[in-house]
Amino acid sequence: MAESKVALKRADKEKLVEVCREFNNKPGELINVLHRAQNIFGYLPAEVQEVIASELNVALAKVYGVVTFYSYFTMIPRGKYPISVCTGTACYVRGAEKVLDEFKRLLKLEVGETAADGVFSLNCLRCVGACGLAPVVLVGEKTYGRVSSDQVRKILEEYGYEG
Amino acid sequence: MDFVKLIIDNKQVEVPAGTTIYKAAHQLGIEIPVLCYMNLEHMNIENKPAGCRICVVEVEGRRNLAPSCSTDVVEGMVVRTNTMRVLNARRTVLEFILSDHPKDCLVCPKSGNCELQDLAVKMGVRKIHNEEISQMSSYRVDYSPSIIRDLDKCVMCRRCETMCNDVQTVGALHAVNRGFMSVVAPAFEMDLVKSTCTYCGQCVAVCPTGALAEVDNTPQLIRALSDTKKTVIVQTAPAVRAALGEEFGYPAGTSVTGKMVAALRRLGFDYVFDTDFAADLTIMEEGTELLGRLEKHLKGEPVKLPILTSCCPSWVNFFEQQYPDMLDIPSTARSPQQMFGAIAKTYFADKINVKREDLIVVSIMPCLAKKYECQREEFKTDGNPDVDYSISTRELAHLIKEANMDLRNMPDEDFDNPLGESTGAGVIFGTTGGVIEAAVRTAYEVFTKKKLEKVDFQQLRGMEGIRSASVDIDGFELKIGIAHGLGNARKLLEDIRAGKSEYHAIEIMACPGGCVGGGGQPLHHGHSEILQKRAAALYREDAEKPIRKSHDNPMIIELYEKFLGHPMSEKAHHLLHTHYVDKATVIKTIE
């Protein structure tokens, strides 16, 4: 009998089953269910996707396909303070790459990674609809506009960065 | 129905509203080149992600070019399919695709049969602009017992995804990742062997490039044939004879049985046998099992019904993974391929006085799942498999060409005995409805002890995905269900699980059309009429056979008299039956 890689806590599985039920276990609600699941667990590990696939009666490969298609979804736990640098067209031409490089340098992280202590994680996203404020950085729910690379350290220090 | 008039390449055409430009052009005899588009009309399946943009056309008044595969016609539309703008756009698109495609065409398994290669030839591509600065994506090659995935050659047409999800409902493959990194892969990009793949091979059958291909077992076979210490015997599945000819220029539906036997003999096989013999044997075992369950049912004893056929290894994989709660419903009879192997390595090996390990059994199959099946542990004795290698119809065609032979120049020859003797019932195993018709012919006579005068059961034939029929067996109405394509099979299984099934017996074949449409057959490129012609060839061969009922096969009668005893005997059980394994993925939890 094939077994999945890591076991999920029973209470967590029940929570997921409940979320799926709230959406009437409809295959068409896959993205909504994934959103809720990521809000609960902070990320979407394989085991979570397996439960969702079986509850919604959707192929597991499809669930994984959706998770890997949308940059919002992640299979790696995010940090306590998830940092997202917008690299959409407007932000990009106004210097987002330099800002991103500064985050990488200070945090010693690559895009998509989470620091070992779990405090910061670094990601890119494509356009938050605030192009007038380009380049834009998000830390958690908070938005920073017109960010330049020399402001990066100050932003990080707001969250206890001492490096 | 509303009709729409439009002009394509200065020709007027009238088509039903909702028709695509591509189909309207086709009606005019204008063939627009496509790559990702696939239309399987007989299954009502159309793959049109409009992803490749090879089929673009110019529409008057429209700013950009339109993908003809997925743009509906509009009243008064003026379309041009071959302007310089269109041709240049197509060539640019193709160059983009080729810029991220390996250039090892000479040694690619799809070489000569590749739709991407054909397009490059057709469009006269001689140079890929900016190739030196273009990126190449790179992906690991994934090997399984039946199928090789070489995703560097994937063009993201997503035809395989359509077959795996919409037709077969297996869900092993899906588009994953984004942009340059996107490929079609199993969940978490795990190996195919760990996924829900059943090895039906329908993905391979529709892949336009070499991204999906069968495992090539011909090198081992050639080595075995040149080993003088080994006795090498071959069995050929029914559906092979109805399709092999296509690879040598014969029209679809030409039966090439005699020429195939001659070619196999010239390739060096010591004995050329027929899986049809084992199909007759399967009927003896499966038919007896069916009658056993029916007799209990009629006496009112508790018994599992319907009985499901078990000849198809992809179907076996499917229910082992997806319906582990129903493992006791299918017949325990092994497939004809494995019955042949078991008898060859015991009864026949003794008869010719060859040790088991010196006898190599090869099968020619229309199927890729058979490669996996012959490697299953249940079908080995002390590590030695009953069937050593399984070769697809396409591989056999390659082998014949490699040996510098042309099937067209072969004489007609007969199979060897004893394992080459078969009846018409064995021949029709290769098409949907054939196994159950063969079973009914035998079950009728065994059950009623009367002679069956009319052996053709037209009500069991056809190409509908799910069919039901009833057969009058001396007053008893035997209710039969037939499904081909795993998506159709799933519908019948859900009914059984819900307790809604009224059938006594169900025949299931994983591939649309049955084995004639198997994943190892010459590519039909979506032309369903080819499958019908192959099936017709098998029914024709059946009608021409002097013996048409499995239990009348003299070699089968002799096998039971001299070796097995009777159907379902202890020896038959040991050699000809199997058990199934729960392969479901279980989500484990901890406290």
Side-chain angles (χ1 to χ4, degrees):
Chain A
M1 209 181 284
E3 284 176 3
S4 60
K5 289 146 284 160
V6 190
L8 203 63
K9 280 194 189 128
R10 195 153 64 151
D12 287 339
K13 191 191 164 186
E14 278 162 14
K15 238 187 266 174
L16 268 174
V17 170
E18 186 50 38
V19 168
C20 294
R21 201 170 296 146
E22 281 172 36
F23 288 99
N24 298 319
N25 297 69
K26 280 192 187 153
E29 300 282 9
L30 174 60
I31 290 179
N32 284 328
V33 170
L34 288 171
H35 260 273
R36 286 281 295 279
Q38 184 157 302
N39 282 346
I40 295 171
F41 300 102
Y43 69 119
L44 297 167
E47 312 78 84
V48 167
Q49 295 181 41
E50 277 165 4
V51 173
I52 292 172
S54 100
E55 288 301 309
L56 301 187
N57 202 12
V58 173
L60 183 58
K62 180 173 182 164
V63 175
Y64 177 74
V66 170
V67 168
T68 53
F69 183 83
Y70 293 103
S71 60
Y72 176 83
F73 296 128
T74 174
M75 286 182 66
I76 299 165
R78 291 217 167 126
K80 188 178 171 194
Y81 302 113
I83 298 165
S84 302
V85 180
C86 179
T87 49
T89 313
C91 291
Y92 192 86
V93 297
R94 299 201 57 172
E97 201 173 14
K98 278 185 192 153
V99 174
L100 180 62
D101 284 343
E102 185 65 2
F103 275 114
K104 282 190 198 169
R105 191 180 69 83
L106 292 178
L107 295 171
K108 299 184 182 66
L109 288 179
E110 283 303 315
V111 173
E113 286 182 349
T114 301
D117 61 6
V119 178
F120 291 106
S121 59
L122 185 60
N123 267 297
C124 288
L125 54 77
R126 300 275 188 275
C127 198
V128 290
C131 305
L133 297 175
V136 172
V137 170
L138 262 73
V139 181
E141 305 270 291
K142 192 170 173 188
T143 311
Y144 295 82
R146 306 229 166 95
V147 179
S148 63
S149 55
D150 48 12
Q151 292 167 346
V152 168
R153 178 180 290 273
K154 225 184 90 210
I155 292 172
L156 286 174
E157 278 167 359
E158 284 180 39
Y159 301 92
Y161 176 80
E162 292 168 345
Chain B
M1 195 187 285
D2 289 343
F3 278 82
V4 171
K5 273 192 197 137
L6 72 155
I7 292 167
I8 304 177
D9 292 348
N10 299 318
K11 286 183 208 159
Q12 191 160 27
V13 64
E14 194 171 348
V15 292
T19 305
T20 60
I21 297 175
Y22 174 82
K23 283 186 178 166
H26 179 77
Q27 199 173 307
L28 278 172
I30 299 167
E31 290 305 328
I32 298 170
V34 291
L35 182 57
C36 66
Y37 179 72
M38 172 180 71
N39 186 16
L40 300 170
E41 244 173 335
H42 60 300
M43 291 178 236
N44 233 340
I45 291 283
E46 216 177 358
N47 180 64
K48 47 176 185 181
C52 75
R53 303 271 152 175
I54 289 289
C55 70
V56 288
V57 293
E58 207 170 333
V59 177
E60 220 173 80
R62 181 174 161 143
R63 186 178 53 85
N64 57 354
L65 299 175
S68 62
C69 72
S70 54
T71 307
D72 286 353
V73 295
V74 174
E75 181 66 38
M77 203 179 221
V78 178
V79 178
R80 287 186 194 86
T81 72
N82 57 1
T83 62
M84 275 320 286
R85 185 181 169 209
V86 166
L87 297 183
N88 282 335
R90 278 186 199 150
R91 184 202 288 260
T92 304
V93 163
L94 186 60
E95 281 186 31
F96 278 136
I97 295 169
L98 291 173
S99 73
D100 183 26
H101 193 89
K103 315 291 183 293
D104 59 352
C105 294
L106 280 176
V107 290
C108 176
K110 274 276 174 65
S111 184
N113 212 347
C114 168
E115 293 177 40
L116 186 64
Q117 196 179 45
D118 291 347
L119 279 175
V121 171
K122 185 172 180 169
M123 296 192 196
V125 176
R126 291 291 174 271
K127 177 179 163 50
I128 294 157
H129 290 88
N130 300 320
E131 191 185 5
E132 57 288 351
I133 55 162
S134 64
Q135 259 183 10
M136 284 279 285
S137 54
S138 139
Y139 207 85
R140 76 191 158 85
V141 180
D142 176 17
Y143 298 91
S144 74
S146 297
I147 296 167
I148 301 176
R149 295 168 57 239
D150 184 358
L151 274 297
D152 288 356
K153 292 173 180 166
C154 176
V155 291
M156 282 304 280
C157 69
R158 304 177 74 169
R159 290 181 187 179
C160 53
E161 186 184 321
T162 296
M163 294 312 282
C164 195
N165 292 273
D166 300 344
V167 177
Q168 301 294 58
T169 67
V170 165
L173 294 174
H174 200 278
V176 305
N177 299 327
R178 189 164 186 156
F180 202 62
M181 295 305 294
S182 56
V183 286
V184 175
F188 316 124
E189 289 153 79
M190 64 171 82
D191 293 343
L192 212 53
V193 285
K194 291 185 184 145
S195 76
T196 53
C197 177
T198 67
Y199 306 125
C200 73
Q202 288 298 312
C203 56
V204 178
V206 298
C207 180
T209 72
L212 293 164
E214 67 266 41
V215 171
D216 181 6
N217 290 112
T218 54
Q220 292 115 297
L221 171 56
I222 292 169
R223 219 171 301 135
L225 283 171
S226 48
D227 185 343
T228 51
K229 290 194 284 298
K230 304 283 185 196
T231 301
V232 188
I233 69 172
V234 65
Q235 53 162 321
T236 62
V240 177
R241 67 207 64 191
L244 179 67
E246 291 165 32
E247 293 277 344
F248 296 89
Y250 284 101
T254 309
S255 191
V256 293
T257 316
K259 292 179 187 305
M260 173 184 73
V261 172
L264 288 166
R265 209 162 267 143
R266 279 152 188 75
L267 280 171
F269 288 100
D270 297 298
Y271 296 88
V272 180
F273 289 139
D274 201 352
T275 313
D276 294 13
F277 168 84
D280 282 334
L281 189 55
T282 303
I283 289 302
M284 298 304 290
E285 294 296 324
E286 204 169 83
T288 306
E289 202 184 346
L290 164 69
L291 286 177
R293 288 205 211 173
L294 276 180
E295 272 163 14
K296 276 191 181 171
H297 172 69
L298 290 174
K299 280 187 211 155
E301 290 172 30
V303 66
K304 288 279 181 190
L305 278 176
I307 185 170
L308 309 176
T309 57
S310 55
C311 322
C312 169
S314 168
W315 151 236
V316 169
N317 285 336
F318 185 73
F319 72 68
E320 285 184 323
Q321 264 154 11
Q322 316 238 355
Y323 294 86
D325 52 324
M326 288 157 62
L327 295 183
D328 54 346
I329 298 180
S331 161
T332 58
R334 293 185 189 180
S335 71
Q337 165 177 278
Q338 293 308 135
M339 285 201 183
F340 181 95
I343 293 298
K345 289 214 173 170
T346 53
Y347 175 72
F348 180 69
D350 286 350
K351 208 172 171 119
I352 60 167
N353 209 8
V354 170
K355 278 189 284 182
R356 179 184 178 95
E357 52 274 24
D358 290 330
L359 184 69
I360 305 280
V361 176
V362 177
S363 69
I364 314 291
M365 292 284 147
C367 180
L368 300 189
K370 291 282 174 194
K371 289 176 185 285
Y372 158 82
E373 186 189 41
C374 71
Q375 294 175 29
R376 286 183 76 130
E377 286 304 317
E378 308 90 279
F379 303 139
K380 289 178 184 168
T381 302
D382 303 326
N384 179 279
D386 290 344
V387 175
D388 293 83
Y389 311 115
S390 178
I391 307 283
S392 70
T393 311
R394 290 193 296 267
E395 284 171 272
L396 174 61
H398 286 156
L399 208 58
I400 294 172
K401 288 171 188 169
E402 196 179 334
N404 202 27
M405 297 192 290
D406 187 343
L407 200 70
R408 302 184 79 100
N409 299 334
M410 291 291 137
D412 284 318
E413 293 183 6
D414 287 328
F415 286 107
D416 291 309
N417 270 333
L419 310 184
E421 180 73 37
S422 71
T423 72
V427 178
I428 56 174
F429 256 61
T431 177
T432 171
V435 171
I436 206 75
E437 182 169 340
V440 167
R441 290 179 191 175
T442 288
Y444 183 93
E445 292 205 348
V446 175
F447 186 75
T448 65
K449 306 200 170 52
K450 288 184 199 164
K451 190 167 162 38
L452 177 67
E453 296 300 338
K454 200 175 151 293
V455 295
D456 294 304
F457 290 87
Q458 294 298 342
Q459 69 265 45
L460 300 173
R461 302 180 183 181
M463 280 285 160
E464 277 287 300
I466 297 177
R467 307 194 294 285
S468 55
S470 51
V471 174
D472 176 32
I473 299 194
D474 211 19
F476 174 72
E477 192 193 357
L478 183 69
K479 289 181 184 152
I480 291 168
I482 298 165
H484 55 119
L486 290 171
N488 293 325
R490 183 185 288 280
K491 289 178 194 154
L492 293 187
L493 282 168
E494 292 295 336
D495 282 351
I496 298 173
R497 197 181 247 171
K500 288 194 297 188
S501 184
E502 289 188 339
Y503 298 118
H504 298 115
I506 295 178
E507 177 208 280
I508 290 173
M509 296 190 187
C511 291
C515 311
V516 289
Q521 291 281 61
L523 306 179
H524 59 73
H525 297 287
H527 299 294
S528 57
E529 69 279 6
I530 292 181
L531 301 186
Q532 281 160 0
K533 285 176 183 166
R534 290 175 188 166
L538 294 181
Y539 286 120
R540 244 186 348 262
E541 197 151 316
D542 163 35
E544 287 162 7
K545 285 262 187 182
I547 306 173
R548 298 181 65 191
K549 293 166 222 156
S550 298
H551 57 286
D552 291 342
N553 182 334
M555 292 299 163
I556 293 283
I557 295 169
E558 189 181 308
L559 177 69
Y560 278 106
E561 275 173 3
K562 290 197 175 152
F563 186 64
L564 291 169
H566 55 87
M568 304 283 277
S569 69
E570 203 183 312
K571 199 167 202 173
H573 217 90
H574 172 66
L575 289 172
L576 307 179
H577 289 257
T578 185
H579 60 275
Y580 304 112
V581 188
D582 181 349
K583 288 183 188 162
T585 308
V586 173
I587 303 167
K588 254 177 66 175
T589 56
I590 49 170
E591 290 307 316

